[in-house]
């Protein structure tokens, strides 16, 4: 008696299971790298955040002392407030400017390729270099901005990075309009929209604004959501622009969590610094979850 033949679906399933071992083999190096350089350090940071540790001697458990010191620090309150304001500015102005630029370039006006190239040039320069450039730009004695203003008001003198409340906005301008990553992400999604959708909408009588609002913007949802995540998490870890310009001053006007973290390290308070690191990590996870849900990034566009 002949054995029953396997159906094509069963054969395909067996072949897929046979290929799993190769998939796992190729994933193994990535998993090991993640465990060694990401997962284990994150666990160590979390555990040592409950200790008194100077970086040299063995950590000593001190419970919630680091977190209590952190939340009762006046600089920490300013850092959270600044982070909130920078996130609002980044989400609406920084991302908004990048999205607007992407939609303008998508229309391919005359000189759009040259504009795209010029728009990318400043983003090749490091954040530290831009911070130093802006120190001269906002300088009272030789800065371009004050020199231009003094053409109108000869008696105008403001040290932008050292005067409240202008220091906050001076730091903000060091990154606000450099949104090429946002533009490239959104422009890539715009380029991938099937032309049939745009043409069908035009045939149905859709205006240019209706085309943008009802077709192009919704189909760029994932790219815009990714841009918001990148922008907000960059504000959490923002260090160079502040350290090289205001160092968190004047007072605590431009204080950030990363400045407090580095200060904890330089003061040999590694447990305290790791407590700040844990909070930054948690805030990043919360932002990731909220943005993912708000932009429905797990839902397919097509």
């Amino acid at each position: 008696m002949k054995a029953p033949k396997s159906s094509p679906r069963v054969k395909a399933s067996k072949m897929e299971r046979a290929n799993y071992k190769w998939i796992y083999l190729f994933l193994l190096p990535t998993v090991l790298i993640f465990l060694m350089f990401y997962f284990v350090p994150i666990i160590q940071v979390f555990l040592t955040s409950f200790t008194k540790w100077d970086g040299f001697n063995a950590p000593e458990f001190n419970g919630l002392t680091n977190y209590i010191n952190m939340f009762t620090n006046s600089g920490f309150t300013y850092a959270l407030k600044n982070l909130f304001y920078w996130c609002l500015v980044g989400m609406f102005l920084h991302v908004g400017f990048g999205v607007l630029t992407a939609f303008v370039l998508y229309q391919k006006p005359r000189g759009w390729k040259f504009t795209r190239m010029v728009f990318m040039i400043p983003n090749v320069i490091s954040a530290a270099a831009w911070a130093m450039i802006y120190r001269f730009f906002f300088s009272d004695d030789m800065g371009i901005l004050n020199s231009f203003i003094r053409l109108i008001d000869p008696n105008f003198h403001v040290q932008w990075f050292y005067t409240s409340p202008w220091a906050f906005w001076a730091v903000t301008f060091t990154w606000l309009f450099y949104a090429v990553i946002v533009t490239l992400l959104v422009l890539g999604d715009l380029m991938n929209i099937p032309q049939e959708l745009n043409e069908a909408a035009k045939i149905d009588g859709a205006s240019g604004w209706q085309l943008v609002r009802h077709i192009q913007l919704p189909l760029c949802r994932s790219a815009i959501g990714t841009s918001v995540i990148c922008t907000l998490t960059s504000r959490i870890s923002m260090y160079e622009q502040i350290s090289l310009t205001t160092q968190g001053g004047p007072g605590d006007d431009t204080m950030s969590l990363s400045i407090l973290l580095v200060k904890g390290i330089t003061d040999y308070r590694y447990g305290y610094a790791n407590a700040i690191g844990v909070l930054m990590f948690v805030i990043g996870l919360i932002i990731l979850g909220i943005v993912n849900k708000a932009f429905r990034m797990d839902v397919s566009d097509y």
Side-chain angles (χ1 to χ4, degrees):
M1 184 176 180
K2 294 182 178 180
K5 294 183 179 180
S6 300
S7 65
R9 182 178 297 178
V10 173
K11 289 182 179 179
S13 178
K14 290 181 178 179
M15 291 179 63
E16 288 178 359
R17 285 196 297 269
N19 289 330
Y20 282 167
K21 60 182 180 181
W22 298 108
I23 295 175
Y24 295 143
L25 180 63
F26 283 108
L27 285 176
L28 182 61
T30 303
V31 172
L32 291 176
I33 291 173
F34 173 79
L35 291 175
M36 291 173 57
F37 295 100
Y38 289 92
F39 183 74
V40 173
I42 288 172
I43 298 299
Q44 289 179 334
V45 166
F46 178 77
L47 294 177
T48 54
S49 69
F50 297 97
T51 66
K52 181 181 180 181
W53 184 31
D54 60 5
F56 300 98
N57 300 304
E60 299 177 5
F61 180 76
N62 65 355
L64 296 175
T65 303
N66 292 326
Y67 290 93
I68 294 172
N69 292 337
M70 178 176 64
F71 282 102
T72 55
N73 184 353
S74 61
F76 174 78
T77 304
Y78 276 95
L80 281 185
K81 183 186 71 173
N82 291 336
L83 176 61
F84 176 74
Y85 290 147
W86 276 322
C87 284
L88 289 179
V89 171
M91 186 165 51
F92 292 104
L93 295 182
H94 180 75
V95 174
F97 178 70
V99 172
L100 179 62
T101 304
F103 273 86
V104 172
L105 294 178
Y106 179 63
Q107 301 302 321
K108 297 182 179 179
R110 179 176 296 181
W112 73 278
K113 290 184 177 180
F114 175 77
T115 303
R116 182 180 60 181
M117 180 186 67
V118 172
F119 188 55
M120 291 180 63
I121 289 175
N123 293 270
V124 179
I125 303 175
S126 68
W130 270 120
M132 297 303 296
I133 291 173
Y134 270 91
R135 284 191 64 177
F136 290 101
F137 181 84
F138 284 111
S139 171
D140 183 39
D141 298 327
M142 64 184 75
I144 298 174
L145 180 61
N146 282 10
S147 298
F148 177 77
I149 295 175
R150 277 195 284 268
L151 295 176
I152 303 171
D153 182 4
N155 297 319
F156 183 84
H157 291 281
V158 171
Q159 292 283 3
W160 296 94
F161 281 122
Y162 308 104
T163 306
S164 179
W166 307 114
F168 176 88
W169 292 106
V171 169
T172 302
F173 273 99
T174 63
W175 56 265
L176 183 59
F177 294 111
Y178 301 103
V180 70
I181 302 300
V182 178
T183 298
L184 292 179
L185 287 173
V186 176
L187 187 60
D189 269 16
L190 286 172
M191 294 292 189
N192 287 328
I193 295 176
Q195 287 301 316
E196 293 81 1
L197 291 177
N198 292 324
E199 292 171 359
K202 290 178 181 178
I203 292 173
D204 290 338
S207 64
W209 169 243
Q210 290 173 328
L211 197 66
V212 170
R213 181 182 176 185
H214 297 291
I215 294 180
Q216 295 172 355
L217 265 178
L219 292 179
C220 293
R221 184 184 67 249
S222 295
I224 296 174
T226 302
S227 301
V228 171
I229 291 173
C230 292
T231 297
L232 299 188
T233 52
S234 295
R235 303 291 70 80
I236 297 173
S237 60
M238 184 168 59
Y239 175 75
E240 296 96 330
Q241 296 96 324
I242 302 174
S243 177
L244 295 173
T245 53
T246 66
Q247 296 183 353
D252 291 320
D253 279 12
T254 59
M255 185 59 66
S256 71
L257 294 176
S258 58
I259 293 291
L260 290 174
L261 186 149
V262 173
K263 189 176 186 303
I265 294 174
T266 54
D267 291 340
Y268 300 104
R269 301 170 64 194
Y270 282 74
Y272 177 78
N274 286 347
I276 298 174
V278 169
L279 180 66
M280 294 169 67
F281 181 73
V282 171
I283 293 175
L285 288 180
I286 293 172
I287 287 174
L288 182 63
I290 292 174
V291 175
N292 271 329
K293 189 170 184 179
F295 285 86
R296 296 182 295 116
M297 295 177 63
D298 55 345
V299 179
S300 177
D301 289 330
Y302 301 98

